[in-house]
Amino acid sequence: MGREFLEGNEAIARGAMKARCDFFAGYPITPASSILHYMLELVPAIGGTAIQAEDEIASIGFCIGAAMAGRKAMTATSGPGISLYSENIGLAQIGETPLVIVNVQRQGPATGSATKGAEGDIQFTRWVTSGGLPVIALSPATVGEAYELTYRAFNLAEQYRSPVFVLTSKEIGVTRESVDLDAIELPPLVERKRVGDDEEYLPHRFDRPADVPAMSDFGGAHIARYTTSTHDQAAYLTAKPAVIQEMIDHYTAKIDAVADDIALVKRDFQESAETLIISYGITSRSAAVAVREARARGARVSSLVLQTLWPVPQRAILAALDGIRRVIVPEMNMGQYRLEIERLAPTGVAVIGVNKMNTTLISPAEIQRTGGLL
Amino acid sequence: MSTTGAPATPCASYMTDKLGPLPFCPGCGHHVVAKALDQALVKLQLDPHKVVIVTDIGCIGLSDRYFTTNAFHGLHGRAVTYACGLKLARPELTVIALMGDGGCGIGGTHVLNVARRNIGITLIVANNFNYGMTGGQHSVTTPSAGITSTTPWGNVEGPMDLCGTTIAAGAAWVARCTMFDKDLADVMAQALAQPGFALLDVWELCTAYYAPRNRMKKKELDDLLASDGLRLGVLADTPRPEYSARYRAAYETGRAASKRRPAIEVQHGNSVPRQTGIIIAGSAGQKIRSTAALFAQAGMFSGLEATQKDDYPITVMTGHSLAELIFSRQRIDYTAIEAPDYLLVISEDGLISSHDRLQRLPDTCTVYAEQSLDLPVTKARVVRCPIAQAAAQAGRRSVAVIAVAAMLQDTGLFPLDAFARAISTFQEANIAEANLKALKAGAALVSDRLSAD
Ligand SMILES: Cc1ncc(C[n+]2csc(CCOP(=O)(O)OP(=O)(O)O)c2C)c(N)n1
Ligand code: SF4
Ligand SMILES: [Mg+2]
């Protein structure tokens, strides 16, 4: 296609289509609504269904039903809608449903500043539903990455039979940028493992905890079962503590075990730097400018940008912390991911937050000032 | 029902006894509903692979596992949503949602909306006038004066008539039965055979709570119907096309010819020295945002990277409209404009929305302003142009094009030809024609009568 002038939300729709998404349900909300509009244009053209549901609960409910019938499903909303998805996200976790959930974050809580940006849903995404099972969340910083990470989110959803979040924000979603999507390198498309028609089928079969069970679509060759209740590998209700723990260990292991393999980070390290900026999302772009400006003044500073936020790319963060004495963590919230860095940073390493939630971007100057780079 | 084939050998039952008897209290109406569903399936001889029973939370939700069809047990009140998702994904399936009266309360909106949309699922409500599973609390169908654990002095809320409500919402097929009706399985089979949405409201007894507390047996159930003036049997039968069929048909006839947007190849040069921020401040209806996008794409034709952010009130047809553009030869990282290099003030709304900014502008900024506007004191260089006057001739919807053309002509950031190229590439012919004229008029403002303060 070549160079285009696109907003992040359109790039998300295009990334979803590149991943052959054929089911979308959503409910309008600024700044995510245009994803619904784009999907209504794109999905029916490949024979799929895109629909505006009566609310967010129905949106994700439609998606879960469709995903279990074999569709590649996505829904998109902003913080208020994620609150309404919450219970169903837990269902998708224990039902092991492949599903992409886009959160175009806006300033909150509650209705907040509907048309303004923030990245305040970082820990909310991690602990989005009861039970505390691990989640996968990717965070783009540019329109191009919105495309790429949405595509990758489908791959992860299919591969790990899990809901996967694309955690973007107003600042990427409705900002237009010059971009060439075709120039972005993508991994091969991943489709869910399916049980052969003649093979025996258990809805949640695994031998080792981290195995991902092969699926059989509702309406296919096997009789399929799915349940929101605590169940065994056959999706039958169980009250046996040993079996219940085995299932919980399975949901946990299949994501935690691959945390480092699915970690997407961008490194810009400088020899013998003792200061490291760890950033993600739109703020990582201010961090890039801050790094350039500081280096131009002779400072030595490294940068680690996280594209995978959950599970925490622990190995990559620990490696980046090697030799570092000060970590600067700028975030458009009051210090949510900083908690993870503080947890990982060796004693003696100062962790400095640069935090703001007033709807304006954190500037390169603010990062340098609060981070002590000036 | 769908057109799928019958099972290879006739099915004598769609239930299994491997899990023992149904788990309900003795005499509970849910036994009757589950068995009637089995008989209805036997009657229709559907392939169990093509049938999904979606159950809600509640005692009735314990029944799906006793069936040999596909089973989907979802969240409280949301059975209809999963059923719709399954049906939309695979219209050939027979999808049955089995829900209590409690589910119809918490998930009421889904019931209304599936009826209205006519998605071809069957909703069977096991309506026992209370929440059995959680200890007999009142529900949306608890009769007036009914005793429940949460209406100990008698229910002061009025009951909802599920059938009447879904009919009002547009349900294509609606029927009411009681657990004592001899033809319950037949009516259920009729419901399953509907191509569109069907609701079957089955009045029955919760023998643990509602029935004993209210001394309700068959006679009292019949009396309740009579006292409410409600009828049994099929109450609505007004077939209309099912949702998926309508969706496909509407898409086929209504879809726009696919608008292929051409890629932007570099065709022109530019003289943008460094990252340059431009703000266009005008009014809603002045095509600020779309003109800014054309401007940005003109920059891309000239070898530049570009970003655009818009700001406007939630009510789109009134008030200010602001577009922030950044051009750069390099990748643009930080997308906020702290001090613009250029500010275009086109209207009074634009002036109000950039008033404070104008006062803070450094002398490195140039302001292009409609000449009739009363600007505050600013350090910026101000260029006043008769933008409105030119727009009165060239067309009011081209006012932003005029302003941008004047600015481009004055600054030479990149050629006006690039702007003309963006206009003719991305706009429909008649609109492009008007805007190309406006572009010329805007450029002429600068060469003819520009006056710098
Ligand atoms: C979100 C949520 N709220 C509350 C509950 C608790 N709960 C379980 S069953 C039920 C009511 C069931 O009543 P009904 O739908 O009439 O089914 P019945 O037990 O009468 O068959 C409630 C409130 C729940 N499971 N989920
Ligand atoms: S509590 Fe009521 S609804 Fe539940 S099984 Fe017992 S009788 Fe039936
Ligand atoms: Mg009930």
Side-chain angles (χ1 to χ4, degrees), chain B residues 43-288:
Chain B
K43 196 173 150 97
L44 296 170
Q45 284 298 306
L46 300 178
D47 177 353
H49 289 85
K50 300 293 175 197
V51 176
V52 189
I53 297 179
V54 182
T55 59
D56 211 70
I57 301 292
C59 291
I60 191 64
L62 300 172
S63 54
D64 59 81
R65 78 188 97 143
Y66 296 87
F67 285 85
T68 55
T69 63
N70 299 290
F72 191 121
H73 180 48
L75 301 181
H76 184 35
R78 315 302 167 193
V80 164
T81 68
Y82 315 116
C84 287
L86 289 156
K87 183 72 181 178
L88 291 169
R90 288 193 174 229
E92 76 275 16
L93 300 181
T94 299
V95 183
I96 304 151
L98 205 50
M99 188 149 88
D101 43 308
C104 290
I106 188 172
T109 184
H110 312 309
V111 177
L112 297 181
N113 281 287
V114 69
R116 185 179 64 75
R117 291 194 180 104
N118 200 32
I119 296 177
I121 67 160
T122 301
L123 171 59
I124 300 171
V125 180
N127 184 355
N128 57 14
F129 318 112
N130 77 159
Y131 297 0
M133 179 165 263
T134 47
Q137 296 87 353
H138 74 289
S139 78
V140 290
T141 63
T142 303
S144 292
I147 306 289
T148 71
S149 25
T150 45
T151 55
W153 318 289
N155 188 20
V156 295
E157 303 174 15
M160 181 166 99
D161 167 11
L162 286 176
C163 294
T165 304
T166 43
I167 290 170
W173 193 94
V174 172
R176 185 186 294 113
C177 291
T178 78
M179 64 186 277
F180 302 107
D181 292 354
K182 295 281 168 289
D183 62 351
L184 178 60
D186 293 335
V187 179
M188 217 176 268
Q190 233 183 305
L192 296 182
Q194 297 307 312
F197 173 71
L199 169 84
L200 178 58
D201 177 16
V202 188
W203 287 26
E204 46 126 296
L205 303 182
C206 168
T207 47
Y209 300 111
Y210 197 80
R213 280 174 175 161
N214 296 278
R215 298 172 196 286
M216 181 182 267
K217 295 208 167 81
K218 180 179 184 318
K219 179 179 175 303
E220 289 75 16
L221 196 65
D222 291 340
D223 290 349
L224 182 65
L225 278 162
S227 70
D228 285 348
L230 297 175
R231 284 194 299 122
L232 290 175
V234 177
L235 305 175
D237 188 359
T238 50
R240 59 194 157 96
E242 200 269 341
Y243 180 88
S244 287
R246 288 193 67 183
Y247 185 98
R248 267 311 127 213
Y251 174 74
E252 291 308 330
T253 48
R255 71 176 160 173
S258 94
K259 309 168 257 181
R260 269 201 78 81
R261 269 180 315 209
I264 301 174
E265 312 277 355
V266 179
Q267 312 265 359
H268 307 275
N270 71 77
S271 60
V272 171
R274 58 190 161 75
Q275 187 159 315
T276 298
I278 303 167
I279 298 178
I280 309 177
S283 301
Q286 286 187 321
K287 302 274 159 200
I288 303 296

